[in-house]
Amino acid sequence: MPTLTKFYSFVEAIHEKQHNLGSDTLKWILTSNAPSLSWTQLSDVTGQLSTANGYTQNDKTMTVTSSAQSSGLYTLIGSDVTWTASGGNLGSGSFRYAILYNDTSTSDLLIGYLDYGYLITVASGQTFTLDFDSVSGLYYAS
C-alpha cells in the first residue's frame, strides 16, 4: 500500500479547523492524472474515472474506525474501500492515483493521495481495494 502524500493546503486547513477527520465524511476518487501538491479542492482534480461499470464519481466513502492520539501521535484509521468492475473496465479506463477529500467541507477540500506507480485497469468481475493498516492507519501526525 502506498503512503498518503498530503496536499500542501491540507496542512494549513487542518490547523485552521477546516477538517474534523474523526467525524467529517471522507471520500475517495480514482484518477489517471498526476495530482499537483498545490491543488486545494475536488474541482482542481482532473482525469477522474468516468461513472461506469461499478465506479461512481465522488461516491466512495471511507468509514473512519479510529481517530485518536496517543502520547502526542494522532492516527487516523479507516475501513478498507473496495470497487468491483461490472460490465466492463472499472470507470471505463485506468487509474494510478487514489485521492482522499473531505466531502463535509464547503469546497470538498483535498487531504492527500496514494500513488500506485503505474496505471491500473480493473476488468469486469475484478475488485480493487484500498487496504488500510488497522494499526498504523492511513494518516498519522505528531
Side-chain angles (χ1 to χ4, degrees):
M1 179 78 175
T3 303
L4 186 75
T5 300
K6 297 177 291 193
F7 287 99
Y8 294 150
S9 60
F10 172 70
V11 175
E12 179 180 3
I14 200 78
H15 288 89
E16 294 178 356
K17 299 191 275 185
Q18 296 179 35
H19 294 283
N20 181 339
L21 299 180
S23 64
D24 289 352
T25 300
L26 307 181
K27 291 189 174 185
W28 287 96
I29 63 168
L30 303 175
T31 180
S32 58
N33 292 355
S36 168
L37 290 174
S38 64
W39 288 351
T40 60
Q41 58 194 23
L42 184 59
S43 62
D44 294 331
V45 176
T46 59
Q48 184 178 175
L49 291 181
S50 301
T51 294
N53 306 326
Y55 182 84
T56 303
Q57 289 188 337
N58 313 332
D59 193 42
K60 192 53 88 168
T61 301
M62 178 182 75
T63 301
V64 174
T65 57
S66 177
S67 170
Q69 72 81 29
S70 176
S71 301
L73 179 65
Y74 171 84
T75 305
L76 177 68
I77 299 173
S79 61
D80 294 349
V81 175
T82 301
W83 291 268
T84 300
S86 175
N89 291 346
L90 186 70
S92 295
S94 300
F95 62 94
R96 176 175 169 169
Y97 307 93
I99 297 178
L100 180 64
Y101 73 97
N102 185 338
D103 191 48
T104 303
S105 63
T106 304
S107 301
D108 294 330
L109 296 176
L110 299 177
I111 295 170
Y113 67 90
L114 304 171
D115 179 355
Y116 283 87
Y118 54 90
L119 285 174
I120 298 169
T121 301
V122 181
S124 186
Q126 295 181 335
T127 298
F128 177 76
T129 301
L130 299 176
D131 184 16
F132 305 118
D133 186 299
S134 62
V135 176
S136 300
L138 167 69
Y139 168 76
Y140 55 91
S142 55

